[in-house]
Amino acid sequence: MGRKKIVARAFTVAFSGLLAMVFMYILLLLFSQVSYLNKDVLVSSLQDKEVRFALALSLESALVVAALALLIGIPAGYALSRFSVPAKAVIDTVMDLPVVISPVALGAMLLIFFNTTPGLLFQEHFFPVVFNVTGIIVAQATIVVFLAIRLMKSIFDAIDPTYEMAARVLGESKAGAFWRVTLPMARPGIIATFILSWARALGEFGATVTLAGATRMKTETLPIAIYLNLSSVRIEKAVALVSIIVLLAFLILLALRLLTDKGALYQ
Amino acid sequence: MIQVRNLTVAGPGFYLDDISFSVSKAGYLIVLGPSGAGKTVLLDTLAGLKKPQKGRILFAGRDITYALPEERKIGYIQQNLALFPHLSIMENITFGARPNRIPPSRARERARELAAFLGIEHLLSRSNPLTLSGGEKQRVALARTLLVEPDIILMDEPFSALDSFTRRQLIFLLPEIFTRFKVTVIHVTHDLQEAFLLGDKIAVLIDGRLQQIGSRDDIYRRPATLEVARLLLNRNMFSGRVDAISSTEIIAQSSQGLTFQLPVIPNLYLGDKIHFGINPREVVIIRHDRPLAPRVQSNIFPATVRSIFDQYGSYLLFLDLAGTGMKIELELPGYIYHDMALKMGEQVTVSLKKDSFWVLPANEEG
């Protein structure tokens, strides 16, 4: 009995000890920035034109991308969840690729696509993409839309289809049941998907830099600004930008936690 | 009102084979079957949520086999009730108003009438249906369905999640509701008591096949198959061979060597193998202080009481038929049991009334 108690105790200590260590690791990372960071640097950075530009561009493009992700992710995720799709496993896997493959690889694929005939025709008739601000949105959206489809699918999977059936038997059409029942029931999930999409777009670097380029004051998002400042050894500015990103991420995750804890309990 | 002809539905994990039945207007059909028999599949198909491979469904003469659920004008109360969690009680009840073009004020008025009738007026101001009790949810689901005035209501195990007290209240309320609104009902259950309390007609569904459809008495006294007999708790079952047939009785020899007098059924010949049985409620213990009525003067056997179980309201006794090794189960009303003061190991005489037996040709075995 005594030995078993000791083993049980050792198990708890080992596992929670590891948890404490990785948590300390994050804290260590955060505090290591402090030596470069003081009030003056932060204030002057926030007044800096370049930082303000990067912040605004990041927030705006991420917002557009997140909106686009919902617009496409809700219907596509619903279709994937509810309708019988042929070769579902294959389609499901292909849809996961943009989220899983290295963003640089995806950016390269986009760059190549926009230099083939259909890609060039698209740029000619609609808007230029390569090394352009629109390229930021295209690159981020290519990842985030598929992420949103995945998230929305699992949200619709979790909503029992008997609710829709009940609505239809009461006289609602398929579309009516979706609007009046499934969509409102998915609301907490939709909010969560929006926030996660926005966060993912905000942090995207690899695909963006490959397709839109890293042009100062043109295609300079927050991650690209960090990259540009680091490569020209302006460490303090880079650290200020890092702090902004950390703060944004913290707020996003906190908002997500608060929102999903309150709602998302429809079962 | 409803006619179902040769309905066959198949899919992953479910199967309904060649189902045919009809229910007259304002009739109450119970579909009785064990879990996994395909009862919910049948209701889903009638509601248009599953498509049949074969067969026809007619409602009031119109073929709705391939109509959309929203075109069928039926009510379907699913087992989980599916009250919309994001809507208030009032919004739940009036949900069907919009697609059925009932003006909102009229719908709310009707919701209040229905709520008054169903005893849930006090719930109309509540906002969250998840906070209701099982019985309240059931009533809200009924009100929501009745609001759109369906001709037919399908109910899937409506009492399965309720405590026995609430269940009882609702069981007696249902016929009142459905008579008042003149709806035709198909009610699916695995519960024998529910089936016999409510069903004008009972259809027995086992393993995707409709085994029998008939009155309570038909199902109880003349089960059409061994599966039906088993479902109705006919635990005293024997197999044997026909030894003699007259116009009034069959004499059969059981495989254990006992001779039984059985009622006559058509198309049975000398030497045929048969199954026969008797419900535990029909077995009688003969009391020595009382003369035998002529109708119990058949199939009389000495027996020993082996075990006794109190099952609230009645007693279940297991008896050994003397010298055969056969066990007999018998159910006694509590007052008779106490009156007779039976004890374990006691010697008794039982009568298995001839006319209480059902008889099936042995080839009927599925």
Side-chain angles (χ1 to χ4, degrees):
Chain A
M1 195 62 190
R3 216 187 115 245
K4 280 190 177 164
K5 265 187 185 162
I6 293 165
V7 172
R9 184 115 193 111
F11 180 85
T12 313
V13 168
F15 279 45
S16 50
L18 200 73
L19 177 69
M21 275 161 69
V22 290
F23 181 70
M24 299 282 281
Y25 175 65
I26 300 177
L27 289 185
L28 192 70
L29 280 181
L30 291 175
F31 281 107
S32 65
Q33 316 298 308
V34 174
S35 56
Y36 290 96
L37 203 62
N38 55 55
K39 208 179 147 202
D40 294 342
V41 177
L42 211 56
V43 168
S44 65
S45 295
L46 280 173
Q47 285 164 347
D48 184 277
K49 252 175 114 178
E50 189 190 347
V51 173
R52 285 188 163 192
F53 177 86
L55 182 61
L57 181 62
S58 268
L59 291 177
E60 282 164 17
S61 62
L63 208 65
V64 173
V65 167
L68 206 62
L70 281 193
L71 225 54
I72 299 170
I74 291 173
Y78 184 80
L80 211 54
S81 167
R82 288 287 196 273
F83 305 153
S84 54
V85 185
K88 202 165 191 167
V90 177
I91 290 177
D92 237 12
T93 312
V94 171
M95 303 279 269
D96 277 342
L97 281 179
V99 185
V100 175
I101 60 171
S102 161
V104 186
L106 192 72
M109 282 165 73
L110 283 167
L111 196 59
I112 290 161
F113 167 75
F114 282 109
N115 281 302
T116 58
T117 320
L120 288 169
L121 277 174
F122 176 91
Q123 294 194 74
E124 207 174 292
H125 285 94
F126 296 99
F127 47 81
V129 173
V130 176
F131 301 136
N132 226 296
V133 178
T134 46
I136 299 172
I137 289 167
V138 170
Q140 292 178 351
T142 307
I143 295 170
V144 173
V145 165
F146 289 94
L147 175 72
I149 293 173
R150 170 76 29 224
L151 291 170
M152 286 315 303
K153 178 193 180 285
S154 59
I155 286 153
F156 289 127
D157 281 346
I159 296 174
D160 190 336
T162 56
Y163 292 106
E164 273 164 55
M165 293 178 182
R168 294 196 66 189
V169 173
L170 288 166
E172 271 298 351
S173 62
K174 222 169 184 171
F178 176 75
W179 276 109
R180 293 185 66 198
V181 175
T182 315
L183 206 59
M185 281 179 75
R187 203 178 64 181
I190 292 171
I191 293 169
T193 300
F194 180 82
I195 293 174
L196 283 172
S197 300
W198 191 62
R200 182 74 162 87
L202 209 58
E204 213 299 310
F205 174 71
T208 313
V209 83
T210 316
L211 185 66
T215 314
R216 194 173 293 273
M217 300 299 280
K218 188 182 176 194
T219 60
E220 191 178 8
T221 62
L222 280 176
I224 291 174
I226 294 171
Y227 170 74
L228 286 174
N229 280 299
L230 268 183
S231 40
S232 47
V233 209
R234 280 189 294 259
I235 308 293
E236 286 184 345
K237 207 162 173 182
V239 169
L241 286 161
V242 166
S243 319
I244 292 171
I245 279 195
V246 170
L247 191 70
L248 276 177
F250 181 77
L251 291 177
I252 286 166
L253 290 174
L254 192 68
L256 193 64
R257 196 132 307 171
L258 292 176
L259 282 169
T260 47
D261 273 358
K262 197 174 66 184
L265 293 171
Y266 291 141
Q267 275 309 323
Chain B
M1 184 71 210
I2 310 174
Q3 272 185 296
V4 173
R5 294 185 195 152
N6 310 103
L7 200 67
T8 298
V9 195
F14 61 89
Y15 188 67
L16 281 184
D17 186 23
D18 198 25
I19 306 283
S20 299
F21 64 86
S22 63
V23 190
S24 53
K25 182 155 175 55
Y28 202 124
L29 176 76
I30 286 275
V31 178
L32 177 68
S35 41
K39 304 190 297 287
T40 302
V41 180
L42 177 63
L43 293 191
D44 280 355
T45 312
L46 295 179
L49 306 172
K50 283 199 168 71
K51 287 198 179 69
Q53 268 73 35
K54 263 192 274 176
R56 292 252 155 274
I57 306 168
L58 300 142
F59 285 178
R62 93 201 131 93
D63 187 329
I64 52 104
T65 315
Y66 299 103
L68 294 170
E70 58 267 33
E71 297 168 339
R72 298 192 177 200
K73 280 224 41 124
I74 47 156
Y76 182 13
I77 300 177
Q78 300 174 88
Q79 192 170 6
N80 71 351
L81 304 176
L83 295 183
F84 305 122
H86 60 294
L87 298 179
S88 70
I89 307 302
M90 185 55 128
E91 288 167 331
N92 260 286
I93 296 175
T94 57
F95 185 90
R98 206 157 85 176
N100 288 285
R101 308 234 164 83
I102 304 170
S105 56
R106 172 86 193 89
R108 276 195 295 277
E109 188 191 316
R110 198 167 149 67
R112 274 189 285 273
E113 285 166 23
L114 286 167
F117 181 63
L118 291 165
I120 49 168
E121 272 170 308
H122 60 290
L123 301 176
L124 286 177
S125 57
R126 295 268 280 272
S127 62
N128 186 354
L130 299 178
T131 60
L132 303 185
S133 73
E136 290 171 340
K137 282 183 188 163
Q138 192 64 252
R139 286 165 200 250
V140 171
L142 269 168
R144 183 175 74 174
T145 297
L146 289 168
L147 187 109
V148 301
E149 300 180 307
D151 302 320
I152 297 156
I153 289 185
L154 313 174
M155 286 192 295
D156 192 357
E157 302 270 9
F159 309 125
S160 59
L162 303 179
D163 60 76
S164 55
F165 181 76
T166 317
R167 216 172 92 100
R168 204 183 134 81
Q169 283 184 321
L170 268 172
I171 283 185
F172 294 114
L173 179 64
L174 279 188
E176 208 180 309
I177 298 168
F178 295 138
T179 309
R180 175 171 160 159
F181 293 98
K182 295 187 185 61
V183 283
T184 309
V185 182
I186 298 182
H187 170 154
V188 147
T189 183
H190 66 268
D191 188 276
L192 289 170
Q193 212 178 27
E194 212 172 295
F196 277 73
L197 273 168
L198 291 169
D200 296 335
K201 264 209 277 186
I202 298 175
V204 185
L205 186 72
I206 300 172
D207 286 338
R209 282 165 200 264
L210 203 55
Q211 307 271 339
Q212 187 172 7
I213 178 161
S215 66
R216 300 172 176 93
D217 213 47
D218 285 339
I219 304 279
Y220 182 73
R221 297 203 173 271
R222 290 177 291 281
T225 64
L226 271 184
E227 286 87 347
V228 176
R230 282 198 194 99
L231 188 74
L232 290 171
L233 309 178
N234 277 285
R235 280 171 301 238
N236 301 316
M237 286 202 197
F238 311 92
S239 48
R241 195 179 287 277
V242 177
D243 259 4
I245 304 180
S246 72
S247 60
T248 53
E249 64 180 20
I250 293 172
I251 306 293
Q253 185 90 31
S254 84
S255 48
Q256 291 90 351
L258 288 177
T259 303
F260 286 90
Q261 290 161 277
L262 302 173
V264 177
I265 62 160
N267 302 322
L268 214 56
Y269 304 99
L270 223 55
D272 279 359
K273 283 185 179 172
I274 53 169
H275 293 294
F276 53 101
I278 185 167
N279 196 289
R281 292 159 197 234
E282 305 290 327
V283 180
V284 176
I285 292 186
I286 296 172
R287 299 161 80 169
H288 297 293
D289 53 338
R290 299 202 183 167
L292 284 179
R295 60 184 181 81
V296 293
Q297 286 176 355
S298 56
N299 305 322
I300 294 169
F301 302 103
T304 314
V305 179
R306 272 290 154 248
S307 44
I308 301 169
F309 296 95
D310 182 351
Q311 54 173 10
Y312 188 65
S314 68
Y315 284 80
L316 205 57
L317 274 64
F318 290 89
L319 311 178
D320 284 343
L321 287 189
T324 61
M326 283 165 70
K327 271 198 168 51
I328 284 274
E329 211 173 307
L330 101 89
E331 196 176 326
L332 273 188
Y335 72 96
I336 295 184
Y337 171 81
H338 290 297
D339 209 28
M340 295 175 86
L342 287 166
K343 282 179 207 65
M344 292 234 261
E346 198 167 321
Q347 304 288 322
V348 292
T349 309
V350 291
S351 161
L352 312 179
K353 283 179 289 180
K354 183 192 94 189
D355 291 327
S356 299
F357 269 100
W358 48 266
V359 181
L360 290 170
N363 57 12
E364 282 290 313
E365 192 167 8

